[in-house]
Amino acid sequence: MSYSLDIYYKRLTPTKDFIAFATFVSFFPQLVAGPIERASNLLSQITTKRIFNYNQSSEGLKLILWGLFKKVVIADSIAPIVDDIFANYTQYPASTLVLGVSLFSFQVYGDFSGYSDIAIGTAKLFGIELMSNFKFPIFSRNVAEYWQRWHVSLSTWFRHYVYIPLGGSRVSKLKSVRNIIIIFLVSGFWHGANWTFIVWGGVHAAFYIPVFLMGRNRIYMNNVVAENRWFPTITEISQILLTFALVTFSRVFFRSESITDAFGFLQQIFTNFTYDTYQHPLGYRMIDYFILLALFVVYEFIIRRDERSPFKFKSKVVRFVMYTLVILGMLLFFDDNIDRSFIYFQF
């Protein structure tokens, strides 16, 4: 679609090379779930002669390894917990439901960003550079920054082909708010013909609009949390936690099978706010998963400045240790009883 629109708006000259066009349309690493590449970036690389580049291929293999880790160790390992809690939400207290939707935030991030890393890494093996799709969104300081770091290719696509043609932010504030609402509702509909996704999009619009009206939607575009510092400030930590809470709240609608289940899930949280120790459905120790996620967040924070170099350490020893730990983690957490299909394959 982007190719046709770029031709229509005269941003791109139609290619006469059918093989190159067919390769662009069917380029398998990003065909199913992105990154969503525009023809202006991908088609030009396909038509350009490429030679094997050791450094590029090495970077690709590292991204594939890190993507597999996020998929197998993070997303797949907590999937049974999330599935159990959402399937039986009426039987659990609020503490367990909050745990379930919080873990789903990590699951969908590990699943989708893991796939994107694998796709980007695989493309590198062919000498193709796909755009970054995730830029550590778990460290976003407001919802606007979150959407600058989450599913970047989709956000960029909607901005270029829907938001800007509607007038973007160059029109009045009222029309800009209208455009924001349209963008998020369309984004929800893109995920599926279910009211849960429409409401999910509407919730994000409601969270985004105040940030836009306060003029804080672009203040974090060119920096990362704890810029030039070892640790984030108390203010940054508070902002990150608030953003995570808002995004996680919206995922109740994203994960629920129906709008009735979503509101039932929320009602159970607000009317049955009690605490009970959750038991893993397969009998594993929950503390292991909490430690795993804590270490994952810490490591992501360490590498937060470059999403395309997950093992960018000067010391060969440190790199070797990280490769070993990642591979061991995948072996330890691999479980044949878990459904390993990618979440975003359904969209």
Side-chain angles (χ1 to χ4, degrees), residues 73-288:
V73 179
I74 303 300
D76 289 349
S77 68
I78 59 180
I81 304 171
V82 175
D83 292 345
D84 173 59
I85 293 174
F86 271 86
N88 304 289
Y89 68 88
T90 58
Q91 302 174 24
Y92 289 121
S95 60
T96 300
L97 301 189
V98 171
L99 171 67
V101 71
S102 298
L103 290 179
F104 178 62
S105 282
F106 284 102
Q107 180 195 0
V108 72
Y109 172 61
D111 187 278
F112 196 15
S113 69
Y115 174 86
S116 293
D117 287 346
I118 295 170
I120 294 168
T122 303
K124 281 178 174 288
L125 301 180
F126 292 90
I128 299 292
E129 292 291 338
L130 301 180
M131 69 182 297
S132 295
N133 210 22
F134 289 86
K135 300 181 178 181
F136 307 107
I138 57 177
F139 302 121
S140 300
R141 288 155 287 185
N142 61 35
V143 174
E145 184 185 12
Y146 170 82
W147 280 106
Q148 291 156 12
R149 295 180 176 279
W150 175 274
H151 205 345
V152 179
S153 61
L154 180 65
S155 302
T156 303
W157 198 96
F158 278 128
R159 183 169 69 249
H160 281 287
Y161 298 110
V162 182
Y163 185 68
I164 291 177
L166 286 172
S169 57
R170 296 168 297 178
V171 293
S172 66
K173 285 287 186 182
L174 183 60
K175 288 185 177 180
S176 293
V177 169
R178 177 207 63 186
N179 296 342
I180 290 170
I181 293 172
I182 291 173
I183 284 293
F184 280 107
L185 292 181
V186 171
S187 176
F189 188 73
W190 178 87
H191 283 85
N194 190 326
W195 280 109
T196 54
F197 298 122
I198 306 300
V199 174
W200 168 80
V203 169
H204 269 280
F207 292 156
Y208 188 100
I209 289 170
V211 179
F212 170 78
L213 294 176
M214 290 187 292
R216 298 181 62 82
N217 55 307
R218 300 175 67 86
I219 62 174
Y220 299 126
M221 288 190 67
N222 299 315
N223 62 75
V224 296
V225 65
E227 185 80 26
N228 301 319
R229 285 180 281 110
W230 282 97
F231 303 104
T233 63
I234 297 298
T235 299
E236 287 177 325
I237 293 174
S238 301
Q239 291 172 325
I240 290 169
L241 291 176
L242 176 59
T243 304
F244 180 82
L246 293 175
V247 171
T248 297
F249 171 83
S250 73
R251 289 203 168 111
V252 172
F253 297 96
F254 193 91
R255 177 59 178 76
S256 296
E257 296 293 330
S258 68
I259 200 69
T260 302
D261 286 331
F263 283 112
F265 193 100
L266 293 173
Q267 182 181 23
Q268 186 77 351
I269 289 178
F270 293 114
T271 60
N272 185 23
F273 200 81
T274 56
Y275 174 82
D276 191 16
T277 302
Y278 177 75
Q279 301 297 323
H280 194 288
L282 301 178
Y284 303 137
R285 297 192 314 168
M286 288 300 297
I287 188 64
D288 295 338

